[in-house]
């Protein structure tokens, strides 16, 4: 019976994507010698925070997610990052494909908060696979599910995520506000004749801290 193994071999920021994206390079090995006609692949990507260490600056940035370090034994749980799909053309023995991992500054998503908070080294990813394998001799078609236990790990360099974001939002980040909060901020900026949103927020922060 056809059997596949998966290995993530690298990652790079997608310079030509319309939105921030990372290309994860995936190697697929067929271990029984059966030719694969096509593969409809689905991949669940999780962050496993417990698999790395954090310096004090990172720990401060992660407090909103996991609380104080003293609680991390209970709170450092996996974070759902993305579900991606990929149609893989036919191959024999092995092939390589790219998985497109979308990136975002949506801080309502826990995984994106995590990516923003870590500063260097790698982000510990777990890739879980399922899908459908199409095989068969000439004139026949066999359909086999990807074995449920198929998975692989990968340490995504933080620098790759930051490069993907900087290509689209250099020197900037995004903050989503409720409509009523935005209206108040807009009126404040207009009343004070401030040239930009940064100026309005900076002045408000200074007034609060004085």
């Amino acid at each position: 019976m056809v059997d596949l193994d998966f290995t993530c071999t690298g990652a790079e920021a997608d310079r030509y994507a319309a939105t921030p994206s990372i290309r994860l390079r995936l190697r697929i090995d067929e271990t029984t010698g059966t030719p694969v006609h096509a593969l409809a692949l689905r991949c669940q990507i999780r962050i496993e925070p417990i698999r790395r260490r954090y310096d004090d600056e990172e720990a401060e940035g992660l407090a909103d997610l996991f609380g104080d370090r003293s609680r991390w034994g209970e709170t450092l749980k996996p974070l759902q990052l993305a579900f991606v799909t990929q149609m893989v053309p036919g191959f024999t023995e092995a092939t390589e494909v790219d998985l497109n991992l979308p990136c975002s500054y949506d801080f309502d998503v826990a995984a994106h908060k995590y990516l923003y908070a870590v500063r260097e080294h790698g982000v510990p990813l777990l890739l879980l696979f399922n899908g459908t394998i199409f095989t068969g001799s000439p004139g026949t078609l066999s359909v086999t599910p990807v074995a449920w236990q198929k998975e692989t790990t990968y340490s995504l360099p933080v620098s790759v995520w930051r490069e993907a974001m900087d290509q689209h939002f250099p020197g900037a980040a995004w903050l989503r506000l409720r409509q009523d909060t935005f209206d108040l901020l807009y009126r404040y900026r207009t009343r004070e004749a401030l040239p930009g949103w940064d100026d309005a927020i900076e002045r408000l922060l200074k007034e609060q801290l004085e």
Side-chain angles (χ1 to χ4, degrees):
M1 179 181 292
V2 62
D3 186 46
L4 302 179
D5 285 337
F6 300 89
T7 309
C8 188
T9 61
E12 63 178 0
D14 190 341
R15 298 179 178 274
Y16 304 104
T19 59
S21 299
I22 291 171
R23 291 201 303 263
L24 297 175
R25 193 64 175 168
L26 185 68
R27 177 182 172 88
I28 307 171
D29 289 281
E30 203 295 310
T31 61
T32 69
T34 304
V36 174
H37 298 332
L39 169 61
L41 186 65
R42 296 185 295 274
C43 179
Q44 179 183 172
I45 303 175
R46 297 178 185 170
I47 298 172
E48 294 196 310
I50 201 170
R51 285 175 37 214
R52 61 159 286 179
R53 296 182 177 181
Y54 304 90
D55 61 28
D56 290 341
E57 181 183 3
E58 291 174 328
E60 183 179 355
L62 292 169
D64 186 44
L65 282 175
F66 305 125
D68 186 78
R69 276 189 189 270
S70 62
R71 300 180 53 216
W72 282 13
E74 301 175 358
T75 62
L76 228 58
K77 304 298 185 182
L79 304 173
Q80 187 64 50
L81 180 56
F83 286 91
V84 298
T85 60
Q86 180 67 46
M87 284 300 303
V88 181
F91 65 94
T92 301
E93 294 186 354
T95 189
E96 291 192 357
V97 296
D98 288 332
L99 295 180
N100 182 64
L101 174 61
C103 305
S104 171
Y105 270 137
D106 184 355
F107 287 167
D108 289 334
V109 178
H112 298 160
K113 287 184 182 181
Y114 178 93
L115 288 165
Y116 179 77
V118 293
R119 296 299 171 185
E120 57 183 10
H121 306 306
V123 176
L125 300 183
L126 175 65
L127 289 74
L128 303 159
F129 300 97
N130 62 22
T132 305
I133 311 166
F134 299 94
T135 60
S137 57
T140 67
L141 180 66
S142 297
V143 177
T144 306
V146 174
W148 65 268
Q149 74 272 21
K150 294 299 181 179
E151 61 183 47
T152 191
T153 59
Y154 179 68
S155 181
L156 172 68
V158 174
S159 58
V160 173
W161 181 82
R162 297 198 176 278
E163 180 184 353
M165 299 305 299
D166 288 344
Q167 286 176 6
H168 293 267
F169 308 119
W174 292 95
L175 181 64
R176 187 168 69 177
L177 302 175
R178 295 197 318 267
Q179 185 66 54
D180 57 341
T181 304
F182 175 80
D183 291 342
L184 289 171
L185 183 61
Y186 182 80
R187 287 202 296 271
Y188 177 81
R189 175 186 168 187
T190 302
R191 186 181 73 238
E192 300 296 322
L194 298 171
W197 299 111
D198 286 305
D199 303 280
I201 293 174
E202 284 177 3
R203 180 176 292 188
L204 285 168
L205 290 172
K206 288 179 181 177
E207 291 174 357
Q208 180 67 29
L209 294 173
E210 287 178 352

